[in-house]
C-alpha cells in the first residue's frame, strides 16, 4: 500500500503558466508536509512546508493542505524553464516521533519556453 | 548559508567490500538521517539518529548497515558487505529544533556503485 502518491507525469506547461502538482497520503495522523525539488542526479531541495490546513504562499509558490481529504498540492505561478525538475511530496509520518519523511514518487514538471 | 556536506560524491566498490559514507550535518542540528534513492525510484528512509543513538530504522536497514557519530561533527553510514542492489544515491539529512515538524535539509548525496 502506497503511503504517499503522486502522478509521475510528466506535467508540461508553457512558460508563464501556473503549474499544479498534487499529492495524496494515506496516514491520517500525518502532521507535516513538505515539497522538495529535485533536479536530475541532484539531491532534494526544500521548497516549502505546511502544517496547517489552508494555503501558504512563498513567492511564486503556494502550498495547499486539506487534511480531511488527505491532499496536499503545490502551485507554481509564472512557471519558468528553470522550474523544470521533479517535485517530491514528503510527509512526516504521523506514528513516528523521529521526523522521518515518507516520499512520493515525484512529479516531473516540464516548462516549455 | 549552512549546508549538509557529504563525501565522497561518488564511490565505486566491489561486491562484498565495506564502504563508509560520510556526512557533516548542519552545525547545531540535532536529528540526523540517511535516505537512499535507487535510480528511477523514490527516496527511501533508512535510519534516523538522535542523542547518539538510532531512533528509528526501516526494513532496508538490516545488519549490514550501521551508523555512527564518531565525533561532534561527522555522521557516517557503513555498509559492511556491499551487494549489487546497494547501488544507489545515498543522502544524508539533518534537522534542527526540538519539534519533529521542523524541516530537513539534504546533502548533495553520494552515488554508490557496486560492481
Amino acid at each position: 500500500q502506497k503511503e504517499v502518491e503522486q502522478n509521475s507525469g510528466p506535467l508540461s506547461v508553457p512558460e508563464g503558466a501556473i503549474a499544479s502538482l498534487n499529492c495524496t497520503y494515506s496516514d491520517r495522523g500525518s502532521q507535516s508536509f513538505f515539497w522538495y525539488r529535485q533536479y536530475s542526479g541532484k539531491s532534494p531541495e526544500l521548497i516549502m512546508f505546511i502544517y496547517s490546513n489552508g494555503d501558504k504562499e512563498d513567492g511564486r509558490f503556494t502550498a495547499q493542505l486539506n487534511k480531511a481529504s488527505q491532499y496536499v498540492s503545490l502551485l507554481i505561478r509564472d512557471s519558468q524553464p528553470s522550474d523544470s525538475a521533479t517535485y517530491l511530496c514528503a510527509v512526516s509520518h504521523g506514528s513516528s516521533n523521529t521526523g522521518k519523511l515518507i516520499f512520493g514518487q515525484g512529479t516531473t514538471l516540464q516548462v516549455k519556453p | 548559508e549552512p549546508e549538509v556536506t557529504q563525501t565522497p560524491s561518488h564511490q565505486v566498490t566491489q561486491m562484498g567490500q565495506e564502504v563508509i559514507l560520510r556526512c557533516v550535518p548542519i552545525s547545531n542540528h540535532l536529528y540526523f538521517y540517511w535516505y537512499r534513492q535507487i535510480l528511477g525510484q523514490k527516496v527511501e528512509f533508512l535510519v534516523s539518529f538522535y542523542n547518539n543513538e538510532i531512533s528509528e530504522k526501516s526494513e532496508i536497514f538490516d545488519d549490514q548497515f550501521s551508523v555512527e557519530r564518531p565525533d561532534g561533527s561527522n555522521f557516517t553510514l557503513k555498509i559492511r558487505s556491499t551487494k549489487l542492489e546497494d547501488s544507489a544515491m545515498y543522502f544524508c539529512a539533518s534537522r534542527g529544533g526540538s519539534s519533529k515538524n521542523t524541516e530537513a535539509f539534504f546533502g548533495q548525496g553520494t552515488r554508490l556503485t557496486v560492481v
Side-chain angles (χ1 to χ4, degrees), chain A residues 2-4 31-32 34 36 38 41-44 46 49 51 88 92-94 96-105, chain B residues 31 33 35 37 40-45 48 55-58 89 91 95 100-109 111:
Chain A
K2 292 186 178 180
E3 296 188 27
V4 180
Q31 298 182 343
S32 311
F34 304 85
Y36 286 85
Q38 186 176 35
K42 303 297 184 182
S43 63
L46 181 68
F49 57 90
Y51 307 141
L88 309 179
S92 183
H93 207 282
S96 165
N97 61 357
T98 63
K100 78 175 186 184
L101 297 175
I102 304 298
F103 282 84
Q105 185 75 14
Chain B
Y31 301 84
Y33 307 87
Y35 292 83
Q37 186 176 32
Q41 297 187 23
K42 63 182 179 181
V43 177
E44 301 175 288
F45 167 78
S48 61
S55 48
E56 188 172 358
K57 59 184 180 180
S58 71
M89 281 288 283
F91 296 111
R95 184 170 64 85
K100 62 185 174 184
N101 291 328
T102 53
E103 56 272 30
F105 295 91
F106 284 71
Q108 78 277 22
R111 180 174 298 282

Side-chain angles (χ1 to χ4, degrees), chain A residues 18-107:
Chain A
I18 296 175
S20 177
L21 305 161
N22 304 314
C23 171
T24 58
Y25 59 93
S26 60
D27 183 1
R28 281 200 170 274
S30 297
Q31 298 182 343
S32 311
F33 308 86
F34 304 85
W35 284 100
Y36 286 85
R37 178 174 61 198
Q38 186 176 35
Y39 294 109
S40 181
K42 303 297 184 182
S43 63
E45 173 191 0
L46 181 68
I47 297 175
M48 289 198 67
F49 57 90
I50 186 167
Y51 307 141
S52 305
N53 275 329
D55 294 1
K56 179 181 178 182
E57 187 174 319
D58 184 0
R60 296 187 296 114
F61 300 96
T62 299
Q64 299 174 318
L65 175 62
N66 184 326
K67 289 187 177 181
S69 300
Q70 296 175 241
Y71 176 92
V72 59
S73 65
L74 179 70
L75 300 178
I76 307 175
R77 290 181 298 281
D78 188 22
S79 296
Q80 301 297 307
S82 58
D83 294 327
S84 298
T86 297
Y87 288 80
L88 309 179
C89 173
V91 175
S92 183
H93 207 282
S95 61
S96 165
N97 61 357
T98 63
K100 78 175 186 184
L101 297 175
I102 304 298
F103 282 84
Q105 185 75 14
T107 298

